[in-house]
Amino acid sequence: MTLDTSPLRPLGRTRLYEDLVERLGEFVVRTNLRVGERFPPERELASRLEVSRSSLRQALAVLENQGFIEVRHGGGVFLRRSRGFGGVLHKLVERRARLPEVLEARELLEVRLAELAATRRTDEDLASMRAALVAMEAEIASAGLGMDGDAAFHHAVHRAGDNKVLEHVIDGLAEAIHETRLESLSEPNRPRNSLVAHRRILDAIEAQQVAQAADAMRAHLRQVADVALLRWEPSVEDPPLP
Amino acid sequence: MTLDTSPLRPLGRTRLYEDLVERLGEFVVRTNLRVGERFPPERELASRLEVSRSSLRQALAVLENQGFIEVRHGGGVFLRRSRGFGGVLHKLVERRARLPEVLEARELLEVRLAELAATRRTDEDLASMRAALVAMEAEIASAGLGMDGDAAFHHAVHRAGDNKVLEHVIDGLAEAIHETRLESLSEPNRPRNSLVAHRRILDAIEAQQVAQAADAMRAHLRQVADVALLRWEPSVEDPPLP
DNA sequence: CGCGCAAAATTGGACTACCCACTAACCCAT
DNA sequence: ATGGGTTAGTGGGTAGTCCAATTTTGCGCG
């Protein structure tokens, strides 16, 4: 009996609570629910959406965690903000047309972190950065792309910058950045160039040259950005959206 | 009737799934779970943590949505990344000792957004900003703090900046910013000063004076920051953590 | 012995029913 | 009006059950 011609499900898997997040977003606009107003009770909402309360509560947990709703015990579920309800950073970022925005944000954050690192770096931070570059060099020597070392280096810089909030924010962009890094390092000769650029950043941070660190980081990122934009911009289409 | 402009008390609530998120983070380090490895089955995990499976699944939904874990139907729950597992921005931000970092991040983002707004603003954006200031003025005239107008103005600037990614990131700081805004505007005479500062920002954006917009925004934020830091820094303690 | 494949065990997905805790609305006595 | 207690409504959480996808087991055959 096995006609299993559908073994592939890399994407498009059904996670009910994820659908619910979107459907709740639709609910907000359909019922014209305003910020501050209350949703129907969970039980009613669940029955209207034709799901169980437990599934609904998974979706509500996500939305609450995301800051879109506020759930008051005994009080009800309230809309906090409606802007981009179903749209998390993930979704936002995976649209190629948005790449320039990602790169813009990354530059802003990383350059500042580099400046901070130049001011605040400890010897331990420097050791981490050096270790990352050593690892990167080893990867490249064995024909690798040095992506792990690359990531480790930037991570070390972030830690040296000593601002948990900025660090966390940039983590949010990590996935998208990872993609651009892959694109960039796949370019011929790019790994070695990248290594040199990283060394320049490290030197500036070590010498506590703030402006120089910022410039070095900016230059490095723009080099990456050029490649990424060149490769991606031609393929502009991205139909309206499902 | 009494205006319900302060119905929010984000402190003191206990949300089991939030605790679970943290406890799962502890579990990861305690059992030395590595990225890519599998968690115990939901049923076992639930019994070990002494919670119901439904509650656990709320936590898992949040963690999956956050990208920390991957849940495969029939396969198990796998660790995707461990860095900052239990540390969502919310938690990070609500520790007062971290206020300087929040303000630092906010300034970085808002100043850039102001620059971008000065370049990219449309007439529609300008209209939104003006409307926000009118609302703010009206609020203040009726002895209010003008917080809604304040928020609306910044929101309009963000939209004018036209970078969805930066916009989203700053939204993540929205809560913390909201708190600083409250602290600041409670200061005597602050609302009117704030209104003037906002007008200066608007003028610069309208005239498309990039540097001037940046300066005006920076000055405004530092005025807010001064108040917030003065009021909050004395109360430094924040015991280790549960 | 080893390979293939189907049955069985494992594990996540989802639902139902139930009870508890907190809120807010209401009503009544003052 | 005002204060306080009652009560219906609403979220918080649990246990049990069944379904669906995956992984493991083990048997039969070459």
Side-chain angles (χ1 to χ4, degrees), chain A residues 76-213:
Chain A
V77 180
F78 296 82
L79 182 62
R80 261 161 92 99
R81 30 189 262 264
S82 53
R83 227 151 50 81
F85 196 100
V88 196
L89 193 57
H90 282 80
K91 313 284 183 188
L92 243 174
V93 136
E94 73 190 14
R95 292 177 52 69
R96 294 182 172 182
R98 197 146 276 148
L99 219 218
E101 297 187 2
V102 174
L103 295 175
E104 185 173 38
R106 149 118 114 152
E107 180 176 314
L108 181 67
L109 297 169
E110 292 251 34
V111 167
R112 169 57 66 93
L113 243 4
E115 291 176 349
L116 293 175
T119 311
R120 303 174 177 172
R121 94 288 188 286
T122 66
D123 291 346
E124 196 180 351
D125 293 323
L126 291 177
S128 298
M129 296 181 211
R130 287 198 202 94
L133 291 194
V134 169
M136 193 173 170
E137 193 163 13
E139 284 182 68
I140 295 173
S142 57
L145 294 179
M147 289 183 59
D148 292 345
D150 189 339
F153 179 80
H154 284 277
H155 177 215
V157 173
H158 300 165
R159 279 201 319 184
D162 194 34
N163 182 323
K164 281 281 192 301
V165 176
L166 285 178
E167 204 177 332
H168 181 278
V169 164
I170 220 176
D171 271 359
L173 300 175
E175 278 184 52
I177 290 171
H178 186 268
E179 289 183 17
T180 64
R181 191 175 284 142
L182 177 69
E183 292 285 339
S184 172
L185 291 176
S186 301
E187 207 71 3
N189 261 24
R190 195 58 78 177
R192 299 223 72 89
N193 290 346
S194 182
L195 184 56
V196 172
H198 283 95
R199 283 236 177 74
R200 209 168 297 150
I201 297 169
L202 172 55
D203 291 343
I205 291 177
E206 182 165 14
Q208 300 196 292
Q209 300 289 332
V210 175
Q212 202 171 320

Side-chain angles (χ1 to χ4, degrees), chain B residues 9-15:
Chain B
R9 280 298 174 201
L11 305 180
R13 72 193 187 286
T14 304
R15 203 118 299 171

Side-chain angles (χ1 to χ4, degrees), chain A residues 15 17 57-58 61 64-66 70-71 80 83 101 104 116 155 163-165 167 169 171, chain B residues 8 15 17 57-58 61 64-66 71 83 90 101 104 116 155 163-164 167 169 171 175:
Chain A
R15 202 118 298 166
Y17 80 82
R57 296 187 95 248
Q58 289 183 57
E64 182 182 39
N65 181 269
Q66 225 82 25
E70 178 183 348
V71 183
R80 261 161 92 99
R83 227 151 50 81
E101 297 187 2
E104 185 173 38
L116 293 175
H155 177 215
N163 182 323
K164 281 281 192 301
V165 176
E167 204 177 332
V169 164
D171 271 359
Chain B
L8 294 193
R15 203 118 299 171
Y17 80 81
R57 297 187 95 249
Q58 288 183 54
E64 182 182 40
N65 181 269
Q66 225 81 26
V71 184
R83 220 155 73 78
H90 282 80
E101 298 187 2
E104 185 173 37
L116 294 176
H155 177 215
N163 181 324
K164 282 280 191 302
E167 206 177 330
V169 164
D171 272 356
E175 271 187 61

Side-chain angles (χ1 to χ4, degrees), chain B residues 25-183:
Chain B
E26 294 170 14
F27 178 89
V28 167
V29 301
R30 193 173 68 245
T31 64
N32 197 28
L33 197 71
R34 314 273 297 187
V35 171
E37 290 183 343
R38 205 186 67 175
F39 284 79
E42 288 186 355
R43 292 166 177 83
E44 181 184 337
L45 214 42
S47 93
R48 273 213 233 179
L49 299 176
E50 296 181 292
V51 296
S52 71
R53 196 149 82 101
S54 345
S55 297
L56 175 63
R57 297 187 95 249
Q58 288 183 54
L60 292 180
V62 170
L63 286 171
E64 182 182 40
N65 181 269
Q66 225 81 26
F68 288 109
I69 63 175
E70 178 183 348
V71 184
R72 297 185 211 155
H73 189 175
V77 180
F78 296 81
L79 183 62
R80 261 167 105 69
R81 29 189 265 266
S82 55
R83 220 155 73 78
F85 192 100
V88 192
L89 195 54
H90 282 80
K91 307 289 182 185
L92 245 174
V93 137
E94 75 188 15
R95 292 175 54 68
R96 293 183 172 183
R98 196 146 278 147
L99 220 216
E101 298 187 2
V102 174
L103 295 175
E104 185 173 37
R106 151 117 112 157
E107 181 176 315
L108 181 68
L109 297 169
E110 293 251 32
V111 167
R112 170 57 65 95
L113 244 2
E115 291 176 349
L116 294 176
T119 310
R120 304 174 177 172
R121 95 289 187 287
T122 65
D123 291 346
E124 196 181 349
D125 293 323
L126 290 176
S128 298
M129 295 180 213
R130 286 199 202 95
L133 291 193
V134 168
M136 193 174 170
E137 193 164 12
E139 284 182 67
I140 294 173
S142 57
L145 294 179
M147 289 183 59
D148 292 345
D150 188 341
F153 179 80
H154 284 276
H155 177 215
V157 173
H158 301 164
R159 280 200 319 184
D162 194 34
N163 181 324
K164 282 280 191 302
V165 176
L166 285 178
E167 206 177 330
H168 180 278
V169 164
I170 221 177
D171 272 356
L173 299 175
E175 271 187 61
I177 290 171
H178 185 268
E179 289 184 17
T180 63
R181 190 174 286 141
L182 178 69
E183 292 285 339

